[in-house]
Each structure stands twice: as C-alpha cells, then as structure tokens.
Amino acid sequence: MGGIVPPASRRGRRPLVVVAFDGVQLLDVTGPVEVFTTAGRYGADYDVRVVSPSGAGVLTSSGLEIGVHGPPSGLPHRIGTLLVPGRSDWRSAVADTDLVELVARLALRAERVASVCAGAFVLAEAGLLDGRRAATHWELARQLAAAYPQVRVEADPVFVRDGHLITSAGVTAGIDLSLALVEEDWGADVARSVARQLVVFMARPGGQAQFSARLTPGRPRHAAVRRVMDHVTADPAAGHTLGSLADTGGVSTRHLERLFRGEVGMTPGQYVESVRVEAAQWLLEAGASTVEEVAQQAGFGSSESLRRVFQHTLGVSPTLYRARFRSTDGSRHIAAGT
C-alpha cells in the first residue's frame, strides 16, 4: 500500500458518520458509503455509521426508503468524519431544526466535517461555514450565496476544502470527495483501487461548468441589451465587435458596456464568448463535425482558439468534452476512459 498511512487510532475505528434525513438525495448517501466501505477491501478501516435525527429509517428523494444504523445517541463521543448529504429542496432541510441542531452538535465532536451537494446549506444554517469557502451544486451556488452572504461560495470546483471543512458539488461529486478523503487517510494506492473497482475517475477532470445546463441571463430590461443578445444568439459565428454590437443596440460602446455589466453581469465580449461556447457544446454533442469545423461554425476561427477557451471555461478539451457528453454508448468513450 503506497503513501503514508495514518495510524489506526486516528483514522481507523472512529466513526465516519453520515446523517440521513427525509427527502435526502439517495446518491448523496449511498455514493460516499460505497466508497468508504469498498476502501475496506483494500486495507482501509472505516467504521461507517448512517444515522438519522430520530433513529428511524428515512424516505429519500427517489421514493426509496433506506435504513440507518441507529440514533445519534449511540455514537461514541469522538467522530472521525461527519458527512452531511443534501436535499434538493434545501429550504425544507434548513427549516428542520432537529436536523440542523444535530449537525451543529456532532460537528463539535468531529475531526472533519464534509457535505455533499445541498448539504452545504445545512452546514451554513448551523453556522459552520461563516467566513469560509464552500461549494455546492452549480445550480444552487447563487442561492447559497444569497441565503448565506457570509459564506464565500465557489461555483465551479468539484469540492472545496477550508480547514477541517470540506464541501462538494452535486450528487456524484460526493464520490469525488470521498475518494479524496480516502487518499488523505490511507494513501493514493487505496483510493486508486477503490476508483478502479467503482469505475470512476480518481480525480475528475474539469470543474462543474462542463455540466451546467444552457443557462442564459435573465431577460434584461433595457431594449438595447435585448437587441444585442438576440442578435448574437441568432448568429454566434458572425464578426461581433464591440462597435458592431453598439450599432445594433443603437447606443455608444461605453453605454453598452455599462448596460451589459449592470443587467447581464458580464461585458458584451464575454457574452459573445459564452454564446459561442454553448454553440460549440451543442455542435460537439449533436453532430459529426470535426473540432476544426465546430470551431469555425461556432465563431472561434480555429480549433486552437476553441481549445484554449474550453480549457479555460470548462476545464476540458473539446475532444474530451465530446467523448464525455456525445453518447452514453460505452464504445464511444474508450478514448476518454483511456
């Protein structure tokens, strides 16, 4: 077994506690549990305990009921890791005072505290993320920042560590987080063996941006901005300069930039690039064009320009993006898997 293995007294039999509750996302619970229990086949020694505030089984978001190991009162005083999964209806989760108070109490007894997906909202409600960096599902990042302005939300990372607190992105990112904890506890060889067994990435390439839906900014109030946005989306590959866009909007270049920053949250040039990226994503997923052809059709001019923007924006190359998202047919993912 490679790497430096922490002594069992520190990482061995102290419980790794997963807090389940009604409405919890099933994979937020079972993904990490599968990682930690599978690690036991390769030399790790986790004492995994799933508990609920009442000690009874819970009904998950998928409608499947899962059992728990018991009530929190049966846990030893010291906890190795406390892991809080999420519920897509996070408002119901944070309104559950029994759940939030339980997490706050158990966190005081834990060496480290982690969350999966919307579990970050429960940690935030418990006051554990004040002044700290945190991640959650890309779709919920703005809501977390708005509901808890004292939390420094990062929308793109798959998981974020700030001291003894680790928060992850949505759903399957709990597996990435759990593998990272296994590697931290028992070394890279054990984590790598678990990743192979579960047929997942040891470290997922890229961030959450590659999984985001085609979200466009809210419909702006100013007619000039609406005209420019409609003009760009109608033909992403056109030669959109700041001057030509200002002419389309019927305003000065300086005024257009002010309007875009205020209503869209980005410059006109950034908006053009975002539309072109989405056009390229669609072309890569849906068609058989080469990467060079996609670059031309989406307005990037060359495959090298497209590659640079994809790497910067999505964290992956166009080729790898196509391999990952074009089809779920395994035969088309050989290159990516390799």
Side-chain angles (χ1 to χ4, degrees), residues 170-189:
V171 199
T172 59
I175 295 174
D176 299 75
L177 167 67
S178 301
L179 284 169
L181 297 182
V182 170
E183 180 176 9
E184 178 181 308
D185 295 346
W186 301 98
D189 287 352

PDB file of all heavy atoms in Angstrom, residues 170-189:
ATOM      1  N   GLY A 170     -22.522  18.778  -6.738  1.00  0.00           N
ATOM      2  CA  GLY A 170     -23.738  17.990  -6.712  1.00  0.00           C
ATOM      3  C   GLY A 170     -23.581  16.500  -6.903  1.00  0.00           C
ATOM      4  O   GLY A 170     -22.752  16.020  -7.666  1.00  0.00           O
ATOM      5  N   VAL A 171     -24.377  15.767  -6.181  1.00  0.00           N
ATOM      6  CA  VAL A 171     -24.687  14.358  -6.347  1.00  0.00           C
ATOM      7  C   VAL A 171     -23.432  13.491  -6.473  1.00  0.00           C
ATOM      8  O   VAL A 171     -22.829  13.136  -5.479  1.00  0.00           O
ATOM      9  CB  VAL A 171     -25.654  14.137  -7.546  1.00  0.00           C
ATOM     10  CG1 VAL A 171     -26.323  12.781  -7.436  1.00  0.00           C
ATOM     11  CG2 VAL A 171     -26.722  15.228  -7.596  1.00  0.00           C
ATOM     12  N   THR A 172     -23.013  13.137  -7.705  1.00  0.00           N
ATOM     13  CA  THR A 172     -21.881  12.228  -7.868  1.00  0.00           C
ATOM     14  C   THR A 172     -20.574  12.840  -7.391  1.00  0.00           C
ATOM     15  O   THR A 172     -19.597  12.112  -7.185  1.00  0.00           O
ATOM     16  CB  THR A 172     -21.711  11.785  -9.334  1.00  0.00           C
ATOM     17  OG1 THR A 172     -21.518  12.931 -10.163  1.00  0.00           O
ATOM     18  CG2 THR A 172     -22.946  11.028  -9.805  1.00  0.00           C
ATOM     19  N   ALA A 173     -20.520  14.167  -7.212  1.00  0.00           N
ATOM     20  CA  ALA A 173     -19.309  14.790  -6.680  1.00  0.00           C
ATOM     21  C   ALA A 173     -19.016  14.290  -5.269  1.00  0.00           C
ATOM     22  O   ALA A 173     -17.880  14.394  -4.801  1.00  0.00           O
ATOM     23  CB  ALA A 173     -19.440  16.305  -6.676  1.00  0.00           C
ATOM     24  N   GLY A 174     -20.028  13.752  -4.576  1.00  0.00           N
ATOM     25  CA  GLY A 174     -19.782  13.145  -3.270  1.00  0.00           C
ATOM     26  C   GLY A 174     -18.829  11.976  -3.367  1.00  0.00           C
ATOM     27  O   GLY A 174     -18.094  11.680  -2.416  1.00  0.00           O
ATOM     28  N   ILE A 175     -18.814  11.309  -4.508  1.00  0.00           N
ATOM     29  CA  ILE A 175     -17.870  10.211  -4.729  1.00  0.00           C
ATOM     30  C   ILE A 175     -16.461  10.769  -4.882  1.00  0.00           C
ATOM     31  O   ILE A 175     -15.502  10.229  -4.317  1.00  0.00           O
ATOM     32  CB  ILE A 175     -18.292   9.385  -5.960  1.00  0.00           C
ATOM     33  CG1 ILE A 175     -19.636   8.691  -5.687  1.00  0.00           C
ATOM     34  CG2 ILE A 175     -17.216   8.366  -6.338  1.00  0.00           C
ATOM     35  CD1 ILE A 175     -20.213   7.959  -6.882  1.00  0.00           C
ATOM     36  N   ASP A 176     -16.315  11.857  -5.646  1.00  0.00           N
ATOM     37  CA  ASP A 176     -15.006  12.514  -5.786  1.00  0.00           C
ATOM     38  C   ASP A 176     -14.474  12.937  -4.411  1.00  0.00           C
ATOM     39  O   ASP A 176     -13.300  12.719  -4.088  1.00  0.00           O
ATOM     40  CB  ASP A 176     -15.122  13.756  -6.667  1.00  0.00           C
ATOM     41  CG  ASP A 176     -15.586  13.444  -8.076  1.00  0.00           C
ATOM     42  OD1 ASP A 176     -16.780  13.173  -8.260  1.00  0.00           O
ATOM     43  OD2 ASP A 176     -14.752  13.483  -8.990  1.00  0.00           O
ATOM     44  N   LEU A 177     -15.331  13.557  -3.630  1.00  0.00           N
ATOM     45  CA  LEU A 177     -14.951  13.996  -2.293  1.00  0.00           C
ATOM     46  C   LEU A 177     -14.509  12.818  -1.442  1.00  0.00           C
ATOM     47  O   LEU A 177     -13.464  12.857  -0.764  1.00  0.00           O
ATOM     48  CB  LEU A 177     -16.133  14.703  -1.632  1.00  0.00           C
ATOM     49  CG  LEU A 177     -16.038  14.964  -0.123  1.00  0.00           C
ATOM     50  CD1 LEU A 177     -14.942  15.962   0.173  1.00  0.00           C
ATOM     51  CD2 LEU A 177     -17.368  15.459   0.419  1.00  0.00           C
ATOM     52  N   SER A 178     -15.281  11.745  -1.470  1.00  0.00           N
ATOM     53  CA  SER A 178     -14.974  10.581  -0.637  1.00  0.00           C
ATOM     54  C   SER A 178     -13.655   9.936  -1.042  1.00  0.00           C
ATOM     55  O   SER A 178     -12.871   9.523  -0.192  1.00  0.00           O
ATOM     56  CB  SER A 178     -16.119   9.566  -0.724  1.00  0.00           C
ATOM     57  OG  SER A 178     -17.337  10.152  -0.300  1.00  0.00           O
ATOM     58  N   LEU A 179     -13.396   9.870  -2.346  1.00  0.00           N
ATOM     59  CA  LEU A 179     -12.113   9.326  -2.808  1.00  0.00           C
ATOM     60  C   LEU A 179     -10.953  10.185  -2.325  1.00  0.00           C
ATOM     61  O   LEU A 179      -9.893   9.664  -1.952  1.00  0.00           O
ATOM     62  CB  LEU A 179     -12.097   9.229  -4.337  1.00  0.00           C
ATOM     63  CG  LEU A 179     -12.887   8.079  -4.951  1.00  0.00           C
ATOM     64  CD1 LEU A 179     -13.001   8.261  -6.455  1.00  0.00           C
ATOM     65  CD2 LEU A 179     -12.215   6.742  -4.632  1.00  0.00           C
ATOM     66  N   ALA A 180     -11.145  11.509  -2.337  1.00  0.00           N
ATOM     67  CA  ALA A 180     -10.089  12.399  -1.853  1.00  0.00           C
ATOM     68  C   ALA A 180      -9.824  12.162  -0.369  1.00  0.00           C
ATOM     69  O   ALA A 180      -8.668  12.191   0.080  1.00  0.00           O
ATOM     70  CB  ALA A 180     -10.478  13.850  -2.094  1.00  0.00           C
ATOM     71  N   LEU A 181     -10.874  11.911   0.413  1.00  0.00           N
ATOM     72  CA  LEU A 181     -10.694  11.645   1.839  1.00  0.00           C
ATOM     73  C   LEU A 181     -10.015  10.300   2.063  1.00  0.00           C
ATOM     74  O   LEU A 181      -9.184  10.159   2.964  1.00  0.00           O
ATOM     75  CB  LEU A 181     -12.044  11.698   2.555  1.00  0.00           C
ATOM     76  CG  LEU A 181     -12.757  13.053   2.535  1.00  0.00           C
ATOM     77  CD1 LEU A 181     -14.068  12.977   3.316  1.00  0.00           C
ATOM     78  CD2 LEU A 181     -11.868  14.155   3.086  1.00  0.00           C
ATOM     79  N   VAL A 182     -10.371   9.308   1.255  1.00  0.00           N
ATOM     80  CA  VAL A 182      -9.701   8.009   1.351  1.00  0.00           C
ATOM     81  C   VAL A 182      -8.213   8.166   1.055  1.00  0.00           C
ATOM     82  O   VAL A 182      -7.353   7.613   1.757  1.00  0.00           O
ATOM     83  CB  VAL A 182     -10.349   6.987   0.396  1.00  0.00           C
ATOM     84  CG1 VAL A 182      -9.498   5.718   0.309  1.00  0.00           C
ATOM     85  CG2 VAL A 182     -11.759   6.639   0.859  1.00  0.00           C
ATOM     86  N   GLU A 183      -7.898   8.942   0.020  1.00  0.00           N
ATOM     87  CA  GLU A 183      -6.486   9.151  -0.317  1.00  0.00           C
ATOM     88  C   GLU A 183      -5.761   9.864   0.827  1.00  0.00           C
ATOM     89  O   GLU A 183      -4.632   9.518   1.171  1.00  0.00           O
ATOM     90  CB  GLU A 183      -6.366   9.964  -1.597  1.00  0.00           C
ATOM     91  CG  GLU A 183      -4.909  10.210  -2.003  1.00  0.00           C
ATOM     92  CD  GLU A 183      -4.784  10.939  -3.330  1.00  0.00           C
ATOM     93  OE1 GLU A 183      -5.809  11.403  -3.856  1.00  0.00           O
ATOM     94  OE2 GLU A 183      -3.647  11.044  -3.825  1.00  0.00           O
ATOM     95  N   GLU A 184      -6.418  10.854   1.415  1.00  0.00           N
ATOM     96  CA  GLU A 184      -5.824  11.579   2.530  1.00  0.00           C
ATOM     97  C   GLU A 184      -5.570  10.657   3.716  1.00  0.00           C
ATOM     98  O   GLU A 184      -4.540  10.749   4.389  1.00  0.00           O
ATOM     99  CB  GLU A 184      -6.768  12.709   2.952  1.00  0.00           C
ATOM    100  CG  GLU A 184      -6.287  13.528   4.143  1.00  0.00           C
ATOM    101  CD  GLU A 184      -7.298  14.604   4.508  1.00  0.00           C
ATOM    102  OE1 GLU A 184      -7.708  15.365   3.608  1.00  0.00           O
ATOM    103  OE2 GLU A 184      -7.696  14.676   5.676  1.00  0.00           O
ATOM    104  N   ASP A 185      -6.502   9.741   3.967  1.00  0.00           N
ATOM    105  CA  ASP A 185      -6.419   8.863   5.133  1.00  0.00           C
ATOM    106  C   ASP A 185      -5.501   7.658   4.925  1.00  0.00           C
ATOM    107  O   ASP A 185      -4.747   7.283   5.827  1.00  0.00           O
ATOM    108  CB  ASP A 185      -7.807   8.345   5.498  1.00  0.00           C
ATOM    109  CG  ASP A 185      -8.757   9.435   5.941  1.00  0.00           C
ATOM    110  OD1 ASP A 185      -8.276  10.552   6.222  1.00  0.00           O
ATOM    111  OD2 ASP A 185      -9.966   9.174   5.996  1.00  0.00           O
ATOM    112  N   TRP A 186      -5.591   7.040   3.745  1.00  0.00           N
ATOM    113  CA  TRP A 186      -4.960   5.741   3.554  1.00  0.00           C
ATOM    114  C   TRP A 186      -4.014   5.677   2.370  1.00  0.00           C
ATOM    115  O   TRP A 186      -3.467   4.611   2.064  1.00  0.00           O
ATOM    116  CB  TRP A 186      -6.044   4.660   3.408  1.00  0.00           C
ATOM    117  CG  TRP A 186      -6.918   4.605   4.614  1.00  0.00           C
ATOM    118  CD1 TRP A 186      -8.141   5.186   4.771  1.00  0.00           C
ATOM    119  CD2 TRP A 186      -6.612   3.980   5.862  1.00  0.00           C
ATOM    120  NE1 TRP A 186      -8.620   4.953   6.034  1.00  0.00           N
ATOM    121  CE2 TRP A 186      -7.702   4.209   6.736  1.00  0.00           C
ATOM    122  CE3 TRP A 186      -5.526   3.241   6.338  1.00  0.00           C
ATOM    123  CZ2 TRP A 186      -7.744   3.740   8.040  1.00  0.00           C
ATOM    124  CZ3 TRP A 186      -5.563   2.761   7.636  1.00  0.00           C
ATOM    125  CH2 TRP A 186      -6.658   3.010   8.466  1.00  0.00           C
ATOM    126  N   GLY A 187      -3.801   6.778   1.692  1.00  0.00           N
ATOM    127  CA  GLY A 187      -2.838   6.808   0.605  1.00  0.00           C
ATOM    128  C   GLY A 187      -3.462   6.661  -0.765  1.00  0.00           C
ATOM    129  O   GLY A 187      -4.600   6.204  -0.926  1.00  0.00           O
ATOM    130  N   ALA A 188      -2.683   7.047  -1.778  1.00  0.00           N
ATOM    131  CA  ALA A 188      -3.177   7.080  -3.156  1.00  0.00           C
ATOM    132  C   ALA A 188      -3.476   5.690  -3.702  1.00  0.00           C
ATOM    133  O   ALA A 188      -4.412   5.519  -4.494  1.00  0.00           O
ATOM    134  CB  ALA A 188      -2.163   7.788  -4.052  1.00  0.00           C
ATOM    135  N   ASP A 189      -2.707   4.693  -3.293  1.00  0.00           N
ATOM    136  CA  ASP A 189      -2.929   3.353  -3.838  1.00  0.00           C
ATOM    137  C   ASP A 189      -4.292   2.808  -3.447  1.00  0.00           C
ATOM    138  O   ASP A 189      -4.983   2.188  -4.257  1.00  0.00           O
ATOM    139  CB  ASP A 189      -1.837   2.396  -3.353  1.00  0.00           C
ATOM    140  CG  ASP A 189      -0.496   2.653  -4.022  1.00  0.00           C
ATOM    141  OD1 ASP A 189      -0.455   3.472  -4.966  1.00  0.00           O
ATOM    142  OD2 ASP A 189       0.506   2.048  -3.602  1.00  0.00           O
TER     143      ASP A 189
END
